[in-house]
Amino acid sequence: MTNVLFFSVYALFMLSVTGFCTHALRRDKKSFVFGTLSSLMGFLGLTVLLITQVFNSEIDNLLLTNWLMAVIYYYTAYKTKNRLLGTAFMPIVLVLMTFVVFNDGTSLLTKTSYDGQFFLFMHQALLIAAFAIFFFTFAQSVTYLVKLR
């Protein structure tokens, strides 16, 4: 069940990359709406996948990173109304999802279970959020420079 959900989320994020890249090349509204709707459906599926992992006491840090990056992306896109940010953001999410597919379980960034180590869990969560925020400030500045020209 979780594999089917994961690969459907992966396919939805792949469709959103296609929609956002098409929007960047053609500047049409339909492709932007397609990319946004497919990324929102993928985000909802990713949320369900993470909730099932929490109930099974397994949290995949790369999936959690994707989820946090998506939350920050949607908030930034809502506040700034920048449509090119999805073009810079969604390929990164897709690459991280690809890392999850080829994960062998030996890395430190792979599945960790929450055993009551609150400090370690909060440290990892804040570190992941910091990397996501850093990427978004970088992507926002690059899209600002592109628009400026």
Side-chain angles (χ1 to χ4, degrees):
M1 163 90 180
T2 58
N3 286 340
V4 173
L5 183 61
F6 174 79
F7 284 111
S8 63
V9 167
Y10 187 78
L12 285 169
F13 279 127
M14 197 177 291
L15 289 174
S16 71
V17 167
T18 305
F20 283 126
C21 290
T22 305
H23 169 70
L25 294 174
R26 293 188 190 167
R27 303 288 179 154
D28 60 341
K29 188 174 180 176
K30 288 181 182 181
S31 60
F32 178 76
V33 170
F34 176 74
T36 302
L37 289 178
S38 60
S39 70
L40 282 173
M41 288 188 301
F43 174 72
L44 290 176
L46 187 60
T47 303
V48 169
L49 187 62
L50 283 173
I51 288 172
T52 58
Q53 284 186 352
V54 166
F55 285 136
N56 293 334
S57 297
E58 291 182 350
I59 298 175
D60 193 345
N61 288 340
L62 289 174
L63 289 179
L64 185 61
T65 303
N66 282 340
W67 188 83
L68 285 173
M69 288 178 73
V71 167
I72 294 169
Y73 163 70
Y74 293 131
Y75 177 75
T76 307
Y78 173 73
K79 285 293 188 181
T80 62
K81 307 290 189 233
N82 189 352
R83 291 186 174 202
L84 290 179
L85 193 59
T87 307
F89 167 76
M90 284 301 156
I92 300 297
V93 171
L94 192 64
V95 166
L96 287 175
M97 295 283 284
T98 306
F99 286 155
V100 173
V101 169
F102 296 111
N103 188 8
D104 61 351
T106 60
S107 174
L108 292 175
L109 294 175
T110 60
K111 297 177 179 161
T112 59
S113 60
Y114 177 65
D115 297 336
Q117 301 170 350
F118 183 72
F119 177 75
L120 181 63
F121 178 75
M122 288 304 295
H123 172 74
Q124 288 179 347
L126 291 174
L127 192 64
I128 289 169
F131 279 123
I133 291 170
F134 176 73
F135 172 74
F136 275 105
T137 56
F138 173 74
Q140 188 71 18
S141 64
V142 167
T143 55
Y144 173 74
L145 290 174
V146 168
K147 279 186 172 183
L148 192 64
R149 289 196 167 232

